[in-house]
Amino acid sequence: ETGVTQTPRHLVMGMTNKKSLKCEQHLGHNAMYWYKQSAKKPLELMFVYNFKEQTENNSVPSRFSPECPNSSHLFLHLHTLQPEDSALYLCASSQVNLAGGSDTQYFGPGTRLTVL
Amino acid sequence: KQEVTQIPAALSVPEGENLVLNCSFTDSAIYNLQWFRQDPGKGLTSLLLIQSSQREQTSGRLNASLDKSSGRSTLYIAASQPGDSATYLCAATQGGSEKLVFGKGTKLTVNP
């Protein structure tokens, strides 16, 4: 496996279900990101893990819970979602510099989530 | 707070034409600016990254410029091909951080 992988690629869940999205990067990067892409809206940054520490939580509802057990893996745990949470969820990774800033972000193929 | 705008939202051109996609950003204190390509239902592919100290970057038929003082970047595509059809996204960093703020994208269609 190379680059950034995401599983599953497609997910359909009811509002009472609990599911998890998985992301793995094989690039040796030290930062990982979750983004949400909804129709007709810009890509929205949800969470950032920099050196495994969460550095950003853009007012994301608590029904989304991230987990970063190591620098190569990132999870997004989902529970009691709403239909408006249906979207493409993208994971990315990059190499962050100690002085700040980052090189190119590399994206996974995304998980298409549908909440019924 | 950084805001990124892309114009036009959609563009349709005949094959072989040279074209320019525009991106503007409100906060000039960026670390870098990146251009991505997204095919329908897929993830993003990085095209070009311009550091804040640079004026332009080139890769093949693509050339991206950066003018921090005016808060603008352009992506120039030479001799467009049907395979260039995709949505092109511009993203500027939130200040000097690693966080990217994206525009809504320009959907490009190159007709054979």
Side-chain angles (χ1 to χ4, degrees):
Chain A
E1 293 273 23
T2 59
V4 181
T5 58
Q6 290 187 244
T7 55
R9 296 293 307 278
H10 301 271
L11 179 62
V12 179
M13 57 187 291
M15 290 191 285
T16 58
N17 292 158
K18 287 185 179 182
K19 296 287 184 183
S20 295
L21 309 185
K22 178 183 176 182
C23 176
E24 185 172 358
Q25 60 99 358
H26 310 268
L27 300 168
H29 290 158
N30 57 14
M32 296 186 76
Y33 312 77
W34 278 119
Y35 289 89
K36 176 183 179 182
Q37 188 174 37
S38 305
K40 300 183 180 180
K41 293 177 70 175
L43 215 62
E44 300 172 72
L45 179 63
M46 300 174 71
F47 302 103
V48 179
Y49 277 84
N50 188 337
F51 299 100
K52 297 189 296 179
E53 298 293 326
Q54 188 179 136
T55 61
E56 183 83 8
N57 177 342
N58 278 342
S59 303
V60 178
S62 59
R63 57 186 183 271
F64 295 91
S65 175
E67 179 189 0
C68 188
N70 55 61
S71 58
S72 299
H73 294 84
L74 185 65
F75 295 88
L76 188 62
H77 303 299
L78 316 171
H79 64 98
T80 58
L81 295 190
Q82 305 297 311
E84 60 264 29
D85 296 322
S86 298
L88 182 67
Y89 288 84
L90 292 163
C91 173
S93 72
S94 74
Q95 187 65 21
V96 173
N97 306 310
L98 287 174
S102 165
D103 293 335
T104 301
Q105 288 191 20
Y106 292 86
F107 282 77
T111 295
R112 173 66 65 183
L113 174 66
T114 302
V115 182
L116 301 176
Chain B
K1 183 183 176 186
Q2 183 71 275
E3 293 182 8
V4 177
T5 304
Q6 291 187 247
I7 295 173
L11 181 63
S12 181
V13 300
E15 182 177 2
E17 191 162 299
N18 301 327
L19 58 100
V20 175
L21 307 181
N22 297 293
C23 172
S24 61
F25 48 95
T26 55
D27 183 356
S28 62
I30 59 173
Y31 185 81
N32 62 45
L33 183 141
Q34 299 177 37
W35 283 93
F36 295 88
R37 167 187 173 139
Q38 186 175 31
D39 292 287
K42 302 286 183 63
L44 278 63
T45 301
S46 176
L47 297 174
L48 290 164
L49 180 152
I50 312 177
Q51 301 289 358
S52 63
S53 58
Q54 297 175 321
R55 287 294 191 112
E56 64 178 344
Q57 280 288 333
T58 298
S59 176
R61 294 182 294 108
L62 305 180
N63 176 277
S65 68
L66 174 66
D67 183 345
K68 281 202 313 179
S69 61
S70 65
R72 293 180 186 174
S73 176
T74 60
L75 179 67
Y76 175 82
I77 302 178
S80 58
Q81 303 171 357
D84 295 330
S85 298
T87 296
Y88 290 80
L89 296 164
C90 169
T93 57
Q94 183 73 46
S97 78
E98 74 278 21
K99 305 172 185 66
L100 288 177
V101 178
F102 282 81
K104 289 186 177 181
T106 294
K107 184 175 181 181
L108 173 65
T109 302
V110 181
N111 300 301

